[in-house]
């Protein structure tokens, strides 16, 4: 059994403030230990269930956060960015299940540190007219590859929302959102035990048939018209409203890859804030 663990930071145990997830801050250094604890707890559970290959894909920001030396030795770690499928890299290599650890709600939604890829600029993302967060988008790609989402960890809002895109997954609520930047947090000793237990049970959900690739239309709302203009210069991306761009893709993986380009262009094109 091969397990992919896609690990983000905003939904990790104890992360609530921007400084928790921005490298170089004191809070980040502390939060990194909490993220690592969640990941190692999941690895322990999958290993106990008999997984013989567990790969952790560092999926936050630089995608080079987790300290390799402290990763559970039963897993391997994907370090670094510029991966075509981003948070879902390796999903198309014959893995039997994927775990989404430390995930969070999408832009414009309730939940701790809610955002979609960028902490700014993106206001909403829809696939085929349906609002998606990162988990929902990634779940489409996983389904297309025949890989079930078996474990989701994050705040209470995310765990409830994941019923829409991963109805069979085990969920572990590591904090209860009070606002985008405050939460009632469970300590790592409690969340780690729950994540390990959930991962162990989740392994039984591994294995699924691939879904037929299907075309998708992706729409992205941004906060300023100039950014829609900029993104619409990407071949195949069109502005459909002052602050909305759209593009078509032949399948979910292509949609995710193109979305990554749109996000990159939006991020690099954003002018400095001022008051
Ligand atoms: Zn992140």
């Amino acid at each position: 059994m091969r397990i992919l663990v896609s690990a983000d930071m905003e939904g990790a145990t104890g992360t609530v403030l921007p400084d928790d997830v921005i490298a170089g801050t004191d809070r980040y250094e502390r939060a990194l230990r909490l993220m690592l604890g969640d990941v190692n707890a999941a690895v322990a559970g999958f290993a106990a269930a008999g997984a013989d290959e567990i790969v952790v894909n560092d999926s936050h920001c630089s995608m080079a956060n987790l300290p390799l030396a402290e990763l559970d030795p039963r897993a391997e770690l994907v370090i670094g960015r510029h991966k075509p499928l981003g948070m879902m890299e390796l999903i198309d290599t014959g893995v039997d299940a994927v775990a989404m650890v430390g995930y969070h709600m999408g832009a414009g939604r309730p939940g701790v540190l809610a955002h979609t890829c960028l902490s700014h600029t993106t206001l909403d993302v829809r696939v085929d007219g349906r609002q998606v967060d990162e988990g929902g988008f990634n779940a489409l790609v996983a389904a297309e590859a025949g890989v079930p989402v078996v474990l989701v960890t994050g705040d209470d809002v995310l765990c409830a929302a994941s019923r829409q895109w991963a109805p069979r997954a085990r969920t572990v609520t590591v904090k209860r959102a009070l606002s985008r930047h405050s939460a009632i947090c469970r300590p790592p000793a409690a969340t780690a035990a729950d994540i390990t237990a959930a991962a162990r049970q989740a392994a039984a959900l591994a294995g699924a048939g691939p879904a037929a690739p299907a075309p998708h239309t992706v729409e992205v709302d941004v906060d300023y018209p100039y950014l829609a203009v900029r993104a619409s210069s990407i071949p195949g991306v069109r502005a459909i409203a002052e602050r909305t761009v759209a593009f078509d893709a032949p399948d979910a993986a292509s949609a995710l890859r193109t979305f990554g380009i749109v996000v990159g262009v939006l991020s690099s094109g954003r002018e400095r804030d001022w008051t």
Side-chain angles (χ1 to χ4, degrees):
M1 178 169 50
R2 301 179 66 214
I3 305 288
L4 178 65
V5 177
S6 175
D8 203 355
M9 196 168 192
E10 288 85 352
T13 295
T15 57
V16 290
L17 296 174
D19 275 3
D20 290 333
V21 297
I22 298 173
T25 70
D26 290 342
R27 287 196 64 92
Y28 169 85
E29 293 303 325
R30 291 199 292 274
L32 196 51
R33 323 313 306 170
L34 299 171
M35 177 191 185
L36 176 69
D38 288 1
V39 168
N40 277 342
V43 171
F46 287 121
D52 34 39
E53 187 177 338
I54 305 168
V55 181
V56 177
N57 182 24
D58 192 326
S59 297
H60 174 67
C61 197
S62 66
M63 300 188 162
N65 303 275
L66 291 164
L68 180 62
E70 294 167 70
L71 186 72
D72 186 310
R74 292 168 290 190
E76 295 176 297
L77 182 61
V78 181
I79 302 173
R81 59 194 301 179
H82 310 304
K83 299 172 285 195
L85 291 177
M87 304 172 84
M88 283 292 99
E89 191 67 20
L90 302 182
I91 196 74
D92 53 354
T93 60
V95 296
D96 297 297
V98 61
M100 297 180 177
V101 173
Y103 269 46
H104 52 82
M105 288 296 290
R109 305 288 290 161
V112 178
L113 296 169
H115 71 289
T116 304
C117 295
L118 301 173
S119 64
H120 50 76
T121 305
T122 52
L123 298 182
D124 200 4
V125 180
R126 293 174 297 280
V127 175
D128 304 327
R130 186 170 61 89
Q131 184 175 46
V132 295
D133 50 23
E134 292 169 20
F137 206 147
N138 290 343
L140 278 175
V141 177
E144 188 175 270
V147 182
V149 182
V150 298
L151 175 68
V152 176
T153 77
D155 70 16
D156 56 333
V157 189
L158 184 275
C159 287
S162 72
R163 295 282 129 227
Q164 302 290 320
W165 43 264
R168 297 182 66 211
R170 299 278 174 175
T171 60
V172 178
T173 296
V174 301
K175 54 198 171 191
R176 304 198 299 285
L178 297 175
S179 75
R180 194 181 190 219
H181 301 296
S182 60
I184 303 168
C185 297
R186 305 174 65 210
T191 58
D194 283 359
I195 292 171
T196 296
R200 188 170 186 160
Q201 295 167 344
L205 303 171
H216 296 288
T217 299
V218 179
E219 297 173 9
V220 183
D221 294 343
V222 298
D223 55 358
Y224 286 98
Y226 80 91
L227 288 168
V229 171
R230 180 179 169 90
S232 68
S233 66
I234 302 168
V237 178
R238 58 194 183 273
I240 60 170
E242 276 187 352
R243 293 185 291 107
T244 305
V245 294
F247 62 88
D248 303 315
D251 51 55
S254 302
L256 188 67
R257 287 196 297 268
T258 302
F259 181 61
I261 295 169
V262 170
V263 166
V265 167
L266 290 171
S267 181
S268 67
R270 189 178 178 88
E271 298 292 346
R272 291 174 61 189
D273 292 331
W274 79 98
T275 54

